[in-house]
Structures are given as C-alpha cells and as structure tokens.
Amino acid sequence: MIPRSVLILAMAFGHGAAFSADTIEERTWNTSAELGAITTSGNTNGTSVTGKIDTRQELEDWSNQYILSGFFKEDQTQTSEGDKRYVRSAERFSLSARAAYKLMEEGERLFVLGSHVDDRFGAYSRYSSLSVGRSTRLLKSDDKIVEVELGPGYFSGVRATGEDEDGLTVRGAANMRWQISDAALFTQTLAVERGTSNTHSVAETALSTKINGTMQMKAAFSARNDSNVPVEKKNTDTQTSLTLVYSF
C-alpha cells in the first residue's frame, strides 16, 4: 500500500506540474477554486456538491501543480416505516501532486506524478499511483496547445470487494487547450493507466467562459472507467457539472 508515500515522493521531486501553457507567468503562483451545487425538492429531494482547488507554479526549471477535488451526493429515501432520511449515494475525494522538469527543447519535460483517490462507491474504494515519464508538445499556435506524455508507473488499490491489488502500469495522457475567444476556453484531457489486470482511464471535456477578470463559469463532462470491476459495479462513472471558478 502506498497512498501517503506516493504523494510525499511526488512532492519531493520539485513540487508537481501538469500541462501548463506558456501564458502563465514564470515565478508566480496561480490558483483556481471551483464550486458547484444542486439541490432538488418536491417529488425528488437531494443535494449534490462538487469542488476543486488547482494550484500551479512556474519556476525557471520546474512546473508545479497540486489538485484537490471532491464530490458527494445525497438523496432522500423513505424507509419501510414511512420515515424519510437522506442517504449518501456518491462520495469521492482525490489529491495529486506533480513535478515537471523543463528540458532545453521548448515544450519538452520530464515529470513525476503521484495521485490518490478515495471513492466510497466506486469500483476501487482506494486507488493510488506513481508514474514518471516525458511530456512533449505536439502543437502550439496562437490559440491552441496540444501536449502528450508517456511513461511507466506503479499502482496500489483496494477493490470494492475489499481485495488489495497492485502492480506495474504504463501511463499515457493527452491534453488540449483551445482559446476560442478572449472570453471562452475549451479543454480536453485524457489519461490512461494500463496494468496487468485493469485499465484505468479518466477523461474530461470542459468549456469555460469569463464573467469578469477573476470569475468564470465552467461546464464540464467527465468520465472514469475501469476495465475490470466487481460484478455489481459498472465500468464507467460519469459526471456532468456546472461550476463557478474563482482565479487568484
């Protein structure tokens, strides 16, 4: 089991960074916090909340990134005695830290990434991974950036059935940023970890629009997939969200 050691090692390698665009000023911190909530009442009662904090730093030789995110959902149900109560139907928290060392060639970097996910209702109740590799910028224009990365890794997890699982992986990822206009940004990310017994993938498609200098509205669709899951679990979990993002 490696949840804590994964994160400590990743932070020690220069303070994590991911797919940062050159528009970020060097030697500065950039943080964004997003929050979205939906409450329903009437024939259907429930509450869902999603949030994320994304902190990045650009140094002369390193790019750093830390991400903390969470999601939970509660639904009102009625017991056989007629009593109403709220039941948690989704609960997931994740944390990642990344370090990317800038090479001489523009857009070329060596990275180390550590992540940990607690998912109470997922195919894996805990999933930790550590990976290293190289990222390459395939395209850079006035309004678009496309980057890919590849490297080996290691994962350790606990399946929903309580079984421990670990092993070596190969991780590949891709990221695209498209500045549609001064006020609109489209992003697409995909990361896949292939192991001997399971292929774990995470993808997100998002469109952000500026409200003012520091506030944005973000609409996103994300999907998490595991190829090998317990019989009572589905392979794919999806989430559609609308959040307010504050940048500072």
Side-chain angles (χ1 to χ4, degrees):
M1 297 300 296
I2 58 170
R4 293 184 179 177
S5 59
V6 164
L7 298 176
I8 293 173
L9 180 59
M11 292 177 184
F13 269 82
H15 317 308
F19 298 128
S20 54
D22 286 349
T23 54
I24 299 177
E25 297 180 4
E26 291 190 349
R27 299 183 183 277
T28 60
W29 288 91
N30 297 269
T31 300
S32 64
E34 61 182 82
L35 180 66
I38 298 175
T39 300
T40 60
S41 61
N43 293 316
T44 302
N45 296 306
T47 301
S48 62
V49 176
T50 182
K52 180 179 178 180
I53 298 175
D54 187 340
T55 299
R56 307 183 184 214
Q57 185 188 31
E58 289 293 318
L59 300 174
E60 183 177 355
D61 296 322
W62 293 88
S63 294
N64 313 323
Q65 184 179 34
Y66 312 94
I67 298 177
L68 173 65
S69 63
F71 170 73
F72 78 87
K73 181 182 179 183
E74 288 186 340
D75 299 312
Q76 188 183 74
T77 62
Q78 187 168 330
T79 65
S80 56
E81 292 79 16
D83 298 327
K84 293 182 179 180
R85 61 189 182 96
Y86 281 92
V87 176
R88 186 69 55 90
S89 57
E91 182 179 302
R92 181 173 62 250
F93 297 96
S94 64
L95 174 67
S96 67
R98 179 188 184 97
Y101 179 74
K102 301 175 183 178
L103 301 177
M104 295 294 292
E105 302 88 344
E106 183 181 0
E108 298 289 324
R109 302 177 184 186
L110 299 177
F111 72 88
V112 57
L113 168 67
S115 65
H116 177 69
V117 178
D118 277 324
D119 191 345
R120 182 177 171 186
F121 298 93
Y124 285 83
S125 59
R126 290 198 302 273
Y127 189 96
S128 301
S129 65
L130 175 68
S131 60
V132 296
R134 178 165 178 157
S135 64
T136 300
R137 182 171 296 164
L138 296 182
L139 171 67
K140 180 184 178 183
S141 64
D142 292 339
D143 59 351
K144 297 182 184 69
I145 291 179
V146 177
E147 294 177 314
V148 296
E149 60 185 40
L150 182 67
Y154 176 85
F155 90 97
S156 175
V158 179
R159 295 168 65 87
T161 55
E163 301 171 288
D164 293 335
E165 189 174 315
D166 59 75
L168 298 176
T169 62
V170 176
R171 181 182 181 275
N175 174 71
M176 182 188 76
R177 294 166 58 90
W178 176 20
Q179 194 71 49
I180 301 174
S181 67
D182 291 340
L185 173 66
F186 176 83
T187 60
Q188 174 69 63
T189 62
L190 172 65
V192 179
E193 294 180 2
R194 183 176 178 84
T196 56
S197 60
N198 181 55
T199 298
H200 178 74
S201 58
V202 181
E204 182 186 73
T205 301
L207 178 64
S208 302
T209 57
K210 282 187 178 181
I211 298 175
N212 54 40
T214 58
M215 294 291 294
Q216 302 172 59
M217 181 72 74
K218 177 183 174 182
F221 175 81
S222 61
R224 305 174 64 89
N225 179 273
D226 288 285
S227 61
N228 183 13
V229 300
V231 176
E232 71 277 7
K233 296 291 183 178
K234 295 183 179 180
N235 292 88
T236 304
D237 292 322
T238 64
Q239 180 180 331
T240 302
S241 61
L242 184 64
T243 59
L244 280 175
V245 183
Y246 176 68
S247 302
F248 55 96

Coordinates of all heavy atoms in Angstrom, one line a residue, residues 116-158:
H116 N -3.8 10.1 -5.4 CA -4.6 9.2 -4.6 C -6.0 9.5 -4.6 O -6.4 10.7 -4.6 CB -4.1 9.3 -3.1 CG -4.9 8.5 -2.2 ND1 -4.8 7.1 -2.2 CD2 -5.8 8.8 -1.2 CE1 -5.6 6.6 -1.2 NE2 -6.2 7.6 -0.6
V117 N -6.9 8.5 -4.7 CA -8.4 8.7 -4.8 C -9.0 7.8 -3.8 O -8.7 6.6 -3.7 CB -8.9 8.3 -6.2 CG1 -10.4 8.5 -6.3 CG2 -8.2 9.2 -7.3
D118 N -9.9 8.4 -3.0 CA -10.9 7.7 -2.1 C -12.2 7.8 -2.8 O -12.8 8.9 -2.9 CB -10.9 8.3 -0.7 CG -9.8 7.8 0.1 OD1 -9.4 6.6 0.0 OD2 -9.2 8.6 0.9
D119 N -12.8 6.6 -3.1 CA -14.1 6.6 -3.7 C -15.0 5.6 -3.0 O -14.9 4.4 -3.3 CB -14.0 6.3 -5.2 CG -15.3 6.5 -6.0 OD1 -16.3 6.7 -5.4 OD2 -15.2 6.5 -7.3
R120 N -15.9 6.1 -2.2 CA -16.7 5.2 -1.4 C -17.6 4.2 -2.2 O -17.9 3.1 -1.7 CB -17.6 6.0 -0.4 CG -18.4 5.2 0.6 CD -19.2 6.2 1.5 NE -20.2 5.5 2.3 CZ -21.0 6.1 3.1 NH1 -21.0 7.4 3.2 NH2 -21.9 5.4 3.8
F121 N -18.0 4.7 -3.4 CA -19.0 3.9 -4.1 C -18.4 3.4 -5.5 O -19.2 2.9 -6.3 CB -20.3 4.7 -4.4 CG -21.0 5.0 -3.1 CD1 -20.8 6.3 -2.5 CD2 -21.9 4.2 -2.5 CE1 -21.4 6.6 -1.3 CE2 -22.6 4.5 -1.4 CZ -22.3 5.7 -0.7
G122 N -17.1 3.6 -5.7 CA -16.5 3.2 -7.0 C -16.1 1.8 -7.0 O -16.2 1.0 -6.1
A123 N -15.6 1.4 -8.2 CA -15.0 0.0 -8.4 C -13.8 -0.2 -7.5 O -13.6 -1.3 -7.0 CB -14.7 -0.2 -9.8
Y124 N -13.0 0.9 -7.2 CA -11.9 0.8 -6.3 C -12.2 1.8 -5.2 O -12.4 3.0 -5.4 CB -10.6 1.2 -7.0 CG -10.0 0.2 -7.9 CD1 -10.5 0.0 -9.2 CD2 -9.0 -0.7 -7.4 CE1 -9.9 -1.0 -10.0 CE2 -8.5 -1.7 -8.2 CZ -8.9 -1.8 -9.5 OH -8.4 -2.8 -10.3
S125 N -12.3 1.4 -3.9 CA -12.5 2.3 -2.8 C -11.3 3.2 -2.6 O -11.5 4.3 -2.1 CB -12.9 1.5 -1.6 OG -11.8 0.6 -1.2
R126 N -10.1 2.7 -2.9 CA -8.9 3.5 -2.8 C -8.0 3.1 -4.0 O -7.9 1.9 -4.4 CB -8.1 3.2 -1.5 CG -8.8 3.8 -0.3 CD -7.8 3.9 0.9 NE -7.2 2.6 1.2 CZ -7.8 1.7 2.1 NH1 -8.9 2.0 2.7 NH2 -7.1 0.6 2.4
Y127 N -7.4 4.2 -4.6 CA -6.6 3.9 -5.8 C -5.4 5.0 -5.7 O -5.7 6.2 -5.8 CB -7.4 4.1 -7.1 CG -6.7 3.7 -8.3 CD1 -6.8 2.4 -8.9 CD2 -5.8 4.6 -9.0 CE1 -6.2 2.0 -10.0 CE2 -5.1 4.2 -10.1 CZ -5.3 2.9 -10.6 OH -4.6 2.5 -11.8
S128 N -4.2 4.5 -5.6 CA -3.0 5.3 -5.6 C -2.1 4.9 -6.7 O -2.0 3.8 -7.0 CB -2.3 5.2 -4.2 OG -3.1 5.5 -3.2
S129 N -1.4 5.9 -7.3 CA -0.5 5.6 -8.4 C 0.7 6.6 -8.4 O 0.6 7.7 -7.9 CB -1.2 5.7 -9.7 OG -1.6 7.0 -10.0
L130 N 1.8 6.1 -8.9 CA 3.0 6.9 -9.1 C 3.5 6.6 -10.5 O 3.7 5.5 -10.8 CB 4.1 6.5 -8.0 CG 5.4 7.2 -8.2 CD1 5.3 8.7 -7.9 CD2 6.4 6.6 -7.2
S131 N 3.8 7.7 -11.2 CA 4.3 7.5 -12.6 C 5.4 8.5 -12.9 O 5.4 9.6 -12.3 CB 3.2 7.6 -13.6 OG 2.5 8.8 -13.6
V132 N 6.3 8.1 -13.8 CA 7.3 9.0 -14.3 C 7.3 9.0 -15.8 O 6.7 8.0 -16.4 CB 8.7 8.7 -13.8 CG1 8.8 8.8 -12.3 CG2 9.1 7.2 -14.2
G133 N 7.9 9.9 -16.5 CA 7.9 9.9 -18.0 C 8.3 11.2 -18.6 O 8.9 12.1 -17.9
R134 N 8.0 11.4 -19.8 CA 8.3 12.5 -20.6 C 7.1 13.1 -21.3 O 6.3 12.3 -21.8 CB 9.4 12.2 -21.6 CG 9.8 13.4 -22.5 CD 11.1 13.1 -23.3 NE 11.5 14.2 -24.1 CZ 12.7 14.4 -24.5 NH1 13.7 13.6 -24.2 NH2 13.0 15.4 -25.3
S135 N 6.9 14.4 -21.2 CA 5.8 15.1 -21.9 C 6.4 15.9 -23.1 O 7.5 16.4 -23.0 CB 5.0 16.0 -21.0 OG 5.9 17.0 -20.5
T136 N 5.6 15.9 -24.2 CA 6.0 16.5 -25.4 C 4.9 17.4 -26.0 O 3.7 17.0 -26.0 CB 6.4 15.5 -26.5 OG1 7.4 14.7 -26.0 CG2 6.8 16.2 -27.8
R137 N 5.2 18.6 -26.4 CA 4.2 19.5 -27.0 C 4.2 19.2 -28.5 O 5.1 19.4 -29.3 CB 4.6 20.9 -26.8 CG 3.6 21.9 -27.3 CD 3.9 23.3 -26.9 NE 3.8 23.4 -25.4 CZ 4.3 24.4 -24.7 NH1 5.0 25.4 -25.2 NH2 4.1 24.4 -23.4
L138 N 3.0 18.7 -29.0 CA 2.8 18.4 -30.4 C 2.4 19.6 -31.2 O 2.8 19.7 -32.4 CB 1.8 17.3 -30.5 CG 2.1 15.9 -29.9 CD1 0.9 15.0 -30.2 CD2 3.4 15.4 -30.5
L139 N 1.7 20.5 -30.6 CA 1.2 21.7 -31.3 C 1.2 22.9 -30.4 O 0.7 22.8 -29.3 CB -0.2 21.4 -31.9 CG -1.0 22.5 -32.5 CD1 -0.3 23.0 -33.8 CD2 -2.4 22.2 -32.7
K140 N 1.6 24.0 -31.0 CA 1.4 25.3 -30.3 C 1.2 26.4 -31.3 O 2.0 26.6 -32.2 CB 2.7 25.7 -29.4 CG 2.5 27.0 -28.7 CD 3.7 27.4 -28.0 CE 3.5 28.8 -27.3 NZ 4.7 29.3 -26.6
S141 N 0.0 27.0 -31.2 CA -0.3 28.1 -32.1 C -0.8 29.2 -31.3 O -0.8 29.2 -30.1 CB -1.4 27.6 -33.1 OG -2.6 27.3 -32.5
D142 N -1.4 30.3 -31.9 CA -1.8 31.4 -31.2 C -3.0 31.1 -30.3 O -3.2 31.7 -29.2 CB -2.3 32.5 -32.2 CG -1.1 33.1 -32.9 OD1 0.0 33.0 -32.4 OD2 -1.3 33.7 -34.0
D143 N -3.8 30.1 -30.6 CA -5.0 29.7 -29.8 C -5.1 28.3 -29.4 O -6.0 27.9 -28.7 CB -6.2 30.1 -30.6 CG -6.4 29.4 -31.9 OD1 -5.4 28.7 -32.3 OD2 -7.4 29.4 -32.6
K144 N -4.1 27.4 -29.7 CA -4.2 26.0 -29.4 C -2.9 25.5 -28.9 O -1.8 25.9 -29.3 CB -4.6 25.2 -30.6 CG -6.0 25.5 -31.1 CD -6.3 24.5 -32.3 CE -7.7 24.9 -32.9 NZ -7.6 26.1 -33.6
I145 N -2.9 24.6 -27.9 CA -1.8 23.8 -27.4 C -2.2 22.4 -27.2 O -3.3 22.1 -26.6 CB -1.3 24.4 -26.0 CG1 -0.7 25.8 -26.2 CG2 -0.3 23.4 -25.4 CD1 -0.2 26.4 -24.9
V146 N -1.4 21.5 -27.8 CA -1.7 20.0 -27.6 C -0.4 19.4 -27.1 O 0.7 19.6 -27.6 CB -2.1 19.4 -28.9 CG1 -2.3 17.9 -28.7 CG2 -3.4 20.0 -29.5
E147 N -0.5 18.7 -25.9 CA 0.6 18.0 -25.3 C 0.3 16.6 -25.0 O -0.9 16.2 -24.7 CB 1.0 18.7 -24.0 CG 1.5 20.1 -24.3 CD 1.9 20.9 -23.0 OE1 1.0 20.8 -22.1 OE2 2.9 21.5 -22.9
V148 N 1.2 15.7 -25.1 CA 1.1 14.3 -24.8 C 2.2 13.8 -23.9 O 3.3 14.5 -23.8 CB 1.1 13.4 -26.1 CG1 -0.1 13.7 -26.9 CG2 2.4 13.5 -26.8
E149 N 2.0 12.7 -23.2 CA 3.0 12.2 -22.3 C 2.9 10.7 -22.2 O 1.8 10.1 -22.4 CB 3.0 12.8 -20.9 CG 1.7 12.6 -20.2 CD 1.6 13.4 -18.9 OE1 2.1 14.5 -18.8 OE2 1.1 12.8 -17.9
L150 N 4.0 10.1 -21.8 CA 4.1 8.6 -21.7 C 5.2 8.2 -20.8 O 6.2 8.8 -20.7 CB 4.4 8.0 -23.1 CG 4.4 6.5 -23.2 CD1 3.0 5.9 -23.0 CD2 4.9 6.0 -24.6
G151 N 4.9 7.1 -20.0 CA 5.9 6.6 -19.1 C 5.4 5.5 -18.2 O 4.2 5.2 -18.2
P152 N 6.3 4.8 -17.5 CA 5.9 3.7 -16.7 C 5.4 4.2 -15.3 O 5.6 5.3 -14.9 CB 7.2 2.9 -16.5 CG 8.3 4.0 -16.6 CD 7.7 5.0 -17.6
G153 N 4.8 3.3 -14.6 CA 4.2 3.7 -13.3 C 3.9 2.5 -12.4 O 4.2 1.3 -12.8
Y154 N 3.4 2.7 -11.2 CA 3.0 1.7 -10.3 C 1.7 2.1 -9.6 O 1.5 3.3 -9.3 CB 4.1 1.5 -9.2 CG 3.8 0.5 -8.1 CD1 4.1 -0.8 -8.3 CD2 3.3 1.0 -6.9 CE1 3.8 -1.7 -7.3 CE2 3.0 0.1 -5.9 CZ 3.2 -1.3 -6.1 OH 2.9 -2.2 -5.1
F155 N 0.8 1.2 -9.4 CA -0.4 1.5 -8.7 C -0.7 0.5 -7.5 O -0.2 -0.6 -7.5 CB -1.6 1.5 -9.6 CG -2.3 0.2 -9.8 CD1 -3.4 -0.1 -9.0 CD2 -1.8 -0.8 -10.6 CE1 -4.1 -1.3 -9.1 CE2 -2.4 -2.1 -10.7 CZ -3.6 -2.3 -10.0
S156 N -1.4 1.0 -6.6 CA -1.9 0.2 -5.4 C -3.3 0.6 -5.1 O -3.6 1.8 -5.0 CB -1.0 0.4 -4.2 OG -1.5 -0.3 -3.1
G157 N -4.2 -0.4 -5.0 CA -5.6 -0.1 -4.8 C -6.3 -1.1 -4.0 O -5.8 -2.2 -3.7
V158 N -7.5 -0.8 -3.5 CA -8.4 -1.7 -2.8 C -9.7 -1.7 -3.6 O -10.4 -0.7 -3.7 CB -8.7 -1.2 -1.4 CG1 -9.6 -2.1 -0.7 CG2 -7.4 -1.1 -0.6

